């Protein structure tokens, strides 16, 4: 940690020497492996970086949850639970208090993102295989036990609680659905739409498959919500199609592919889960003369190249090592701050009659057309 995380800790105003001493004392009092694991989780989470975490087994439910403030709701019907059910307690602990405890083991660079992740992750655990949930539905209060599964147990889930093949939420949508939406928008109003869910294998090819038709539209909505990154090279390949002016970010220089770049009005959608590569692309695009960023402040974790390490006990973990650098705006750091949108969008629950980032983007397009 002293060799690799010192610069990031300094930028985040974390006293690494003091933190190490505090957890060294905790480790000296450990009585078993489970306690050691919990302390390691808490220590790495206290470094406040989404790219820094241990490779521990993880159990989670298949429920989609949404949150605002200290409340958590179910967002889709599932076995035993329904859309709009309010979770008021987990294992007998009030949800707000349970979230505070879970926050100690949640990895992220900003408090805002960590709190969101802790809330939507209340039905998950490193140790438990089920959660006892107290639910408020209308005027009724009841308890239900929710099983938790490891990733390798997905195929063993009973029929009726399998994961959706397509997920639609305020956090984004699958490439298949976004492609259909792009075609509908183009047909109805000559508006392009591309949703990039990640920058791993296939992301560049998926992007290229939409360029020919979508880039002919005078308006393009680029959805980076819930994009938590991938391969940086893929980010830069896509960025060259979207920037009209060269951009310098850290030691990266992004040049426009002038013969093929998009020159219409580009509206970029972001949220608290836009991070890593997704946040890099948002940072590159913000400030371009034809770009408007709409949504909420990003996760604050786009400058964290990470590597795998192993302790003397054989525990493997990911650790961010890259020194923070200034983003193209010259004032925002790549670590711990997040990118503020040009147009801030109020938080909304899926069933609330409030405008989301996508709807605001459409309204902005309509306004520009009239003027």
């Amino acid at each position: 940690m002293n060799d690799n995380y010192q610069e990031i800790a300094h930028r985040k105003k974390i006293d690494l020497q003091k933190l190490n001493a505090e957890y060294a004392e905790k480790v000296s009092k450990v009585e078993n492996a489970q306690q050691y694991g919990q302390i390691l989780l808490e220590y790495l989470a206290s470094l406040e970086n989404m790219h820094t975490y241990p490779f521990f087994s993880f159990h989670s439910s298949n429920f989609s949850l949404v949150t605002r403030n200290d409340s958590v709701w179910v967002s889709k019907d599932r076995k035993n639970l329904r859309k709009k059910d309010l979770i008021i307690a987990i294992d007998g602990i009030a949800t707000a208090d349970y979230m505070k405890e879970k926050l100690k083991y949640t990895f992220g660079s900003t408090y805002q993102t960590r709190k969101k992740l802790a809330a939507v992750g209340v039905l998950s655990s490193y140790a438990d295989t089920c959660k006892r949930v107290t639910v408020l539905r209308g005027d009724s209060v009841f308890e239900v036990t929710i099983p938790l599964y490891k990733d390798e147990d997905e195929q063993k889930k009973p029929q009726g609680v399998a994961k959706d093949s397509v997920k639609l939420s305020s956090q984004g949508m699958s490439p298949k659905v976004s492609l259909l939406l792009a075609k509908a928008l183009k047909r109805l109003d000559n508006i392009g739409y591309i949703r990039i869910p990640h920058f791993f294998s296939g992301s560049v090819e998926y992007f290229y498959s939409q360029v020919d038709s979508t880039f002919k539209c005078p308006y393009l909505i680029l959805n980076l919500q819930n994009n938590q990154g991938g391969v940086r090279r893929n980010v830069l390949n896509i960025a060259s199609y979207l920037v009209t002016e060269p951009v310098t970010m850290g030691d990266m220089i992004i040049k426009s592919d002038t013969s093929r770049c998009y020159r219409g009005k580009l509206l970029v959608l972001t949220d608290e889960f836009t991070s890593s590569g997704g946040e890099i692309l948002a940072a590159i695009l913000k400030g371009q003369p034809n770009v408007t960023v709409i949504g909420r402040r990003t996760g604050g974790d786009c400058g964290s190249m990470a590597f795998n390490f192993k302790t003397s006990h054989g525990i493997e973990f990911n650790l961010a090592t890259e020194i923070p650098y200034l983003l193209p705006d010259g004032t925002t750091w790549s670590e711990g701050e997040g990118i503020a949108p040009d147009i801030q969008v109020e938080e909304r629950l899926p069933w609330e009659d409030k405008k989301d980032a996508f709807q605001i983007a459409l309204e902005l397009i309509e306004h520009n057309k009239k003027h």
Side-chain angles (χ1 to χ4, degrees):
M1 294 300 172
N2 291 333
D3 291 340
N4 294 284
Y5 201 77
Q6 193 69 249
E7 289 292 335
I8 298 178
H10 176 72
R11 173 63 208 155
K12 298 175 76 67
K13 296 181 173 57
I14 295 173
D15 187 335
L16 194 58
Q17 184 175 0
K18 180 180 179 181
L19 188 70
N20 289 343
E22 175 187 344
Y23 279 89
E25 182 178 357
K26 289 184 178 182
V27 169
S28 69
K29 300 176 182 178
V30 161
E31 297 180 357
N32 53 54
Q34 182 173 340
Q35 288 181 2
Y36 179 73
Q38 288 177 326
I39 290 173
L40 182 57
L41 282 169
E42 189 175 343
Y43 171 70
L44 293 177
S46 68
L47 296 176
E48 300 178 3
N49 184 275
M50 190 177 288
H51 289 85
T52 299
Y53 54 85
F55 293 103
F56 284 174
S57 296
F58 193 74
H59 302 79
S60 60
S61 74
N62 64 314
F63 285 90
S64 298
L65 305 177
V66 290
T67 179
R68 185 168 57 205
N69 299 326
D70 291 330
S71 299
V72 179
W73 292 265
V74 177
S75 64
K76 297 178 186 177
D77 290 347
R78 273 287 190 268
K79 185 179 180 180
N80 299 324
L81 295 181
R82 297 178 189 171
K83 180 179 177 180
K84 298 187 183 181
D85 281 350
L86 177 64
I87 297 177
I88 59 176
I90 300 98
D91 293 336
I93 303 171
T95 300
D97 294 331
Y98 189 88
M99 284 168 52
K100 288 179 184 178
E101 183 66 20
K102 194 169 184 63
L103 196 61
K104 296 193 302 185
Y105 308 100
T106 302
F107 306 96
S109 290
T110 66
Y111 174 77
Q112 181 183 26
T113 294
R114 290 198 305 276
K115 186 176 180 181
K116 280 270 188 180
L117 289 169
V120 299
V122 291
L123 298 185
S124 63
S125 176
Y126 286 98
D128 302 324
T129 57
C130 66
K131 287 293 177 184
R132 181 167 52 89
V133 180
T134 307
V135 177
L136 173 65
R137 179 186 297 166
D139 295 328
S140 302
V141 176
F142 61 94
E143 285 192 353
V144 60
T145 299
I146 304 297
L148 307 181
Y149 306 92
K150 290 185 181 179
D151 288 340
E152 58 267 27
D153 292 335
E154 284 290 309
Q155 67 275 15
K156 299 177 184 178
K157 291 183 182 180
Q159 190 172 5
V161 294
K163 281 190 174 180
D164 286 345
S165 58
V166 171
K167 285 190 173 182
L168 289 173
S169 71
S170 59
Q171 297 175 7
M173 56 189 69
S174 76
K176 182 178 179 181
V177 173
S178 69
L179 188 57
L180 294 174
L181 178 59
K183 291 180 179 179
L185 287 172
K186 184 175 183 295
R187 183 175 65 252
L188 293 172
D189 214 4
N190 206 24
I191 300 169
Y193 178 92
I194 300 177
R195 156 72 179 156
I196 306 178
H198 60 75
F199 290 105
F200 292 106
S201 176
S203 59
V204 175
E205 292 78 8
Y206 168 68
F207 178 80
Y208 289 166
S209 72
Q210 300 187 63
V211 164
D212 288 342
S213 61
T214 303
F215 273 31
K216 296 175 184 176
C217 298
Y219 297 94
L220 173 59
I221 298 173
L222 179 67
N223 190 346
L224 297 178
Q225 293 175 322
N226 206 33
N227 183 317
Q228 298 180 28
V231 180
R232 183 172 293 188
R233 179 179 64 256
N234 293 341
V235 178
L236 302 183
N237 286 340
I238 290 175
S240 68
Y241 277 70
L242 297 170
V243 296
T244 56
E245 298 179 352
V247 176
T248 299
M249 190 164 76
D251 59 356
M252 298 180 290
I253 299 177
I254 301 92
K255 296 182 179 180
S256 172
D257 187 332
T258 54
S259 63
R260 295 182 287 185
C261 73
Y262 182 73
R263 296 187 180 279
K265 297 291 185 181
L266 179 60
L267 298 95
V268 180
L269 312 185
T270 63
D271 63 10
E272 299 90 344
F273 301 128
T274 304
S275 57
S276 192
E279 194 168 19
I280 288 175
L281 184 56
I284 291 171
L285 295 177
K286 186 179 179 184
Q288 291 285 300
N290 64 328
V291 172
T292 302
V293 179
I294 304 172
R296 293 192 296 279
R297 184 177 288 271
T298 58
D301 211 326
C302 65
S304 302
M305 185 71 74
F307 293 92
N308 294 351
F309 293 83
K310 183 183 289 188
T311 71
S312 58
H313 298 86
I315 296 175
E316 295 186 53
F317 61 96
N318 219 43
L319 178 65
T321 61
E322 190 165 350
I323 297 173
Y325 48 80
L326 282 174
L327 299 184
D329 64 8
T331 58
T332 305
W333 289 90
S334 61
E335 168 63 39
E337 295 186 26
I339 301 162
D342 298 309
I343 300 176
Q344 178 76 25
V345 176
E346 184 182 358
E347 281 190 290
R348 64 181 287 274
L349 301 174
W351 48 85
E352 289 183 326
D353 188 21
K354 293 180 181 179
K355 298 170 186 176
D356 61 14
F358 179 75
Q359 292 168 321
I360 291 176
L362 291 179
E363 286 190 357
L364 185 61
I365 291 170
E366 290 302 316
H367 176 79
N368 287 340
K369 286 181 177 181
K370 292 177 181 178
H371 296 80

